Amino acid sequence: MELIATCPMGLESIVARELKELGYEDMMVENGRIRFRGDELAICRANLWLRTADRILINMGEFKATTFDELFEGTKALDLPDWIPANGEFPVEGRSHKSQLSSVPACQGIVKKAVVEKMKQRHRKEWFEETGPRFVIEVSLLNDVATLTIDTTGPSLHKRGYRKLVTEAPLKETLAAAMILLSRWKPERPLYDPFCGSGTIPVEAALLGWNIAPGIRRSFPSEHWPSLPDNVWQQARDEAYDLVRDDVPLQISGSDIDPAAIEVAKASAKSAGLGKEIRFEVVPVAKIRPSGDYGCFITNPPYGERLGDRSAAEKTLRQLGSIFDTLESWSAFVLSPTKQLEHYWSKAPTKRRKLFNGRIECTLFQYFGPLPPRKPKEQ
């Protein structure tokens, strides 16, 4: 079947790389989504393993729809009852862009009516109580082409389940994971986040370092679908547990000037089962003392709003730049809405990459230091 992994703008190539690492090569990258081919097990694996995607959708079909009649008949022709049982709950969500059918509520109503008619034919019933498993249908209209999907994920994949508390303006787990994947960090290298807030970057790094599937601690609505046998989900979860490498030593640290933020970070790490693997401390950026060689700063410095004024934010950036200058073998990856980070640091970045922190356009400034020397292969 064709599946769709949705993601924030700018992360498409990272999600595509993750899918390839899972073994799914047949794909097409588009704005905000990656189409790929897979079976029932692919649904489970993608939900458990993708660190930078938002949702996994089943593409039920696409067709031209410039009128409500075309939308109704196109929807009715799809085999949605193959997935939705007689007691299934099937709400309809929608969006429309550059299409003649611009009223989203009207489109949702038409699709709902068409699905009900198809369900009547399949199940020989006139009324559906919708008390069973949940199947969220989405109708997406773009340039007069309707795409109908079923959501297998439920709450976005960034909701891993370990973050019970949050600080002000927390970084999404998916974006934190993307920053780590865009760096060249490996578990044998130190990682330090001097503005760790609620600890998202260090926790995501530890999950990656130990090869823990980010979705392993949460549930998904598709786990309750009769069309996806229990043994498929069990197989995917057993695979994930077998692949955990919790014997790998980690050198991951985070600090913040806010004691309350550090308490939240410690709680998140403990909830993720990583409380003993990450070192958190309350310390201003000017006094941090990273240890080790070939380490990585991976951080999202607070913007002016969080610090109270813009000058304070600029001062902390300068302080971090001064410390980075003293660490000749280290790399740095700094996400910031300012486009002139090098104005506060003494050198230009190796690369820049546009990313979105929610709706805020940011730049990931990438300063690549030397890689650790390769270890000689054992004879």
Side-chain angles (χ1 to χ4, degrees), residues 39-45 48 222-240:
D39 56 10
E40 288 89 348
L41 188 57
I43 293 173
C44 310
R45 283 174 173 160
L48 289 174
S222 50
E223 290 182 78
H224 307 290
W225 294 0
S227 42
L228 278 179
D230 289 343
N231 65 316
V232 177
W233 267 106
Q234 192 59 51
Q235 178 185 344
R237 287 191 179 276
D238 288 345
E239 283 179 356

Side-chain angles (χ1 to χ4, degrees), residues 33 35 61-66 71 95-100 139-148:
R33 62 184 185 178
R35 300 170 183 260
E62 296 178 329
F63 52 88
K64 188 175 179 62
T66 58
L71 181 60
R95 50 199 173 107
S96 178
H97 185 62
K98 295 182 180 179
S99 296
Q100 294 182 53
V139 52
S140 175
L141 287 146
L142 176 62
N143 296 323
D144 293 324
V145 174
T147 302
L148 267 80

Side-chain angles (χ1 to χ4, degrees), residues 12-243:
E12 296 90 347
S13 63
I14 307 173
V15 176
R17 188 173 75 190
E18 288 193 88
L19 285 168
K20 284 182 180 178
E21 290 174 354
L22 287 175
Y24 304 107
E25 299 276 352
D26 186 2
M27 69 178 72
M28 181 184 300
V29 180
E30 301 175 350
N31 287 336
R33 62 184 185 178
I34 296 87
R35 300 170 183 260
F36 66 104
R37 307 286 308 178
D39 56 10
E40 288 89 348
L41 188 57
I43 293 173
C44 310
R45 283 174 173 160
N47 274 303
L48 289 174
W49 281 102
L50 291 184
R51 300 178 190 277
T52 57
D54 284 336
R55 284 186 170 79
I56 307 302
L57 313 175
I58 302 169
N59 187 6
M60 296 304 301
E62 296 178 329
F63 52 88
K64 188 175 179 62
T66 58
T67 67
F68 288 130
D69 283 343
E70 288 179 338
L71 181 60
F72 181 89
E73 295 299 333
T75 301
K76 192 177 174 185
L78 302 179
D79 292 323
L80 288 155
D82 287 353
W83 289 93
I84 306 172
N87 69 336
E89 179 189 4
F90 50 101
V92 178
E93 298 179 354
R95 50 199 173 107
S96 178
H97 185 62
K98 295 182 180 179
S99 296
Q100 294 182 53
L101 297 179
S102 58
S103 171
V104 171
C107 291
Q108 291 173 230
I110 293 294
V111 168
K112 181 76 173 186
K113 187 182 298 184
V115 176
V116 169
E117 289 303 311
K118 186 76 170 189
M119 295 280 284
K120 286 179 180 179
Q121 293 177 2
R122 176 68 60 89
H123 298 296
R124 308 293 182 186
K125 291 179 64 175
E126 288 296 315
W127 177 254
F128 299 94
E129 296 182 351
E130 300 192 45
T131 56
R134 184 175 174 86
F135 299 78
V136 177
I137 300 168
E138 182 182 82
V139 52
S140 175
L141 287 146
L142 176 62
N143 296 323
D144 293 324
V145 174
T147 302
L148 267 80
T149 58
I150 300 178
D151 178 14
T152 72
T153 300
S156 173
L157 288 173
H158 83 270
K159 296 186 177 181
R160 318 285 206 217
Y162 64 75
R163 197 161 69 176
K164 309 299 183 186
L165 303 169
V166 295
T167 54
E168 186 179 350
L171 190 69
K172 275 190 177 181
E173 294 86 336
T174 42
L175 183 55
M179 292 170 64
I180 298 162
L181 290 171
L182 285 167
S183 75
R184 297 182 292 188
W185 179 78
K186 298 293 182 185
E188 60 270 17
R189 302 174 66 179
L191 184 150
Y192 197 114
D193 181 359
F195 304 101
C196 70
S198 56
T200 307
I201 290 174
V203 172
E204 289 295 317
L207 292 175
L208 183 63
W210 273 9
N211 201 42
I212 297 173
I216 206 166
R217 289 176 174 267
R218 58 163 285 178
S219 61
F220 305 90
S222 50
E223 290 182 78
H224 307 290
W225 294 0
S227 42
L228 278 179
D230 289 343
N231 65 316
V232 177
W233 267 106
Q234 192 59 51
Q235 178 185 344
R237 287 191 179 276
D238 288 345
E239 283 179 356
Y241 281 113
D242 288 343
L243 290 168

